[in-house]
Amino acid sequence: GDSVTQMEGPVTLSEEAFLTINCTYTATGYPSLFWYVQYPGEGLQLLLKATKADDKGSNKGFEATYRKETTSFHLEKGSVQVSDSAVYFCALGVDSGAGSYQLTFGKGTKLSVIP
Amino acid sequence: DVKVTQSSRYLVKRTGEKVFLECVQDMDHENMFWYRQDPGLGLRLIYFSYDVKMKEKGDIPEGYSVSREKKERFSLILESASTNQTSMYLCASSLGLAGTKTQYFGPGTRLLVL
């Protein structure tokens, strides 16, 4: 079945450091890929998405490129801020017929940014 | 703006009680979902619904049921709460019948079963 593997945290970085959170996937069909973010005490919100190979999703300084050859969708940001402290989830969704409306999530990576 | 609301942020219930968690979305979305979130396990799908009165089991439906009488409202029911159902419960909705659509989440209900 479909699955998502993301690097386990927690990850602690100093402000202005470079961030990479690795995400790889296995899927049948042609998945769309997502990064969701969960700030403390809140639900998840979409950070960025990519719907086909070589697409780059970007938002709030974060970006991720859909790499079909390595089945990866790594999240990067050049300079993190304290306000980026959150849990980040990689997810995939596949159009594979009736009933296939769900997303498959990774286990989440907790990021803490210290001043 | 897209909005998904959940009836409670925090709930404390006793073992054996019947528990109702309510979720409402104002976006006219066809699909609605209930997940539970546990440390180290990520999000696991309990049930989802792709239309009024329609429901499908997710990965962990045991001990839960759902109800969708109106398009905007999706309820999760714990028939007889147990301590292993202590968790964070997240509701989500999406537009369109495709797994590639963005899901919009509510703020979550943190349930403690004593």
Side-chain angles (χ1 to χ4, degrees):
Chain A
D2 300 337
S3 67
V4 174
T5 302
Q6 62 181 102
M7 77 189 255
E8 301 207 8
V11 174
T12 302
L13 295 174
S14 297
E15 209 165 20
E16 300 183 3
F18 185 85
L19 168 71
T20 300
I21 301 178
N22 291 336
C23 172
T24 57
Y25 67 90
T26 57
T28 54
Y30 301 97
S32 289
L33 300 172
F34 305 80
W35 277 101
Y36 282 82
V37 59
Q38 184 178 32
Y39 297 104
E42 299 183 13
L44 278 69
Q45 57 185 270
L46 179 69
L47 181 59
L48 53 85
K49 67 185 282 189
T51 58
K52 62 183 188 296
D54 300 324
D55 268 2
K56 179 185 281 189
S58 61
N59 185 24
K60 300 182 182 180
F62 291 89
E63 56 183 39
T65 302
Y66 186 162
R67 303 279 188 205
K68 189 176 178 183
E69 62 277 10
T70 55
T71 61
S72 65
F73 192 55
H74 304 322
L75 182 68
E76 296 182 337
K77 186 175 185 183
S79 176
V80 294
Q81 304 301 311
V82 172
S83 58
D84 295 325
S85 298
V87 181
Y88 293 82
F89 291 91
C90 186
L92 70 83
V94 180
D95 282 336
S96 54
S100 297
Y101 313 131
Q102 61 191 78
L103 295 179
T104 300
F105 286 88
K107 293 184 178 180
T109 302
K110 184 176 182 179
L111 170 67
S112 297
V113 180
I114 53 177
Chain B
D1 252 3
V2 165
K3 194 152 189 187
V4 178
T5 57
Q6 296 184 228
S7 50
S8 305
R9 294 300 300 268
Y10 301 95
L11 271 181
V12 180
K13 297 291 181 182
R14 297 236 174 245
T15 301
E17 278 193 79
K18 191 168 187 176
V19 181
F20 293 87
L21 303 182
E22 302 282 334
C23 175
V24 177
Q25 50 96 2
D26 66 357
M27 299 162 285
D28 202 34
H29 284 174
E30 291 89 347
N31 302 327
M32 296 188 75
F33 307 82
W34 275 106
Y35 296 89
R36 64 179 281 176
Q37 181 180 12
D38 300 288
L41 297 177
L43 274 72
R44 294 179 291 167
L45 182 67
I46 305 172
Y47 268 97
F48 68 98
S49 168
Y50 54 90
D51 202 352
V52 175
K53 297 192 185 294
M54 305 305 288
K55 60 186 180 184
E56 293 283 343
K57 292 180 180 179
D59 300 319
I60 52 162
E62 297 79 17
Y64 303 93
S65 62
V66 291
S67 172
R68 192 163 180 204
E69 297 295 321
K70 294 185 178 181
K71 190 175 186 180
E72 68 270 17
R73 189 179 298 269
F74 192 36
S75 301
L76 179 69
I77 303 154
L78 287 66
E79 295 289 343
S80 177
S82 63
T83 55
N84 63 12
Q85 293 178 308
T86 291
S87 186
M88 168 73 97
Y89 290 89
L90 293 167
C91 175
S93 70
S94 69
L95 176 67
L97 301 179
T100 56
K101 300 299 183 184
T102 298
Q103 292 188 12
Y104 296 88
F105 284 80
T109 296
R110 192 168 291 280
L111 173 67
L112 173 62
V113 182
L114 299 174

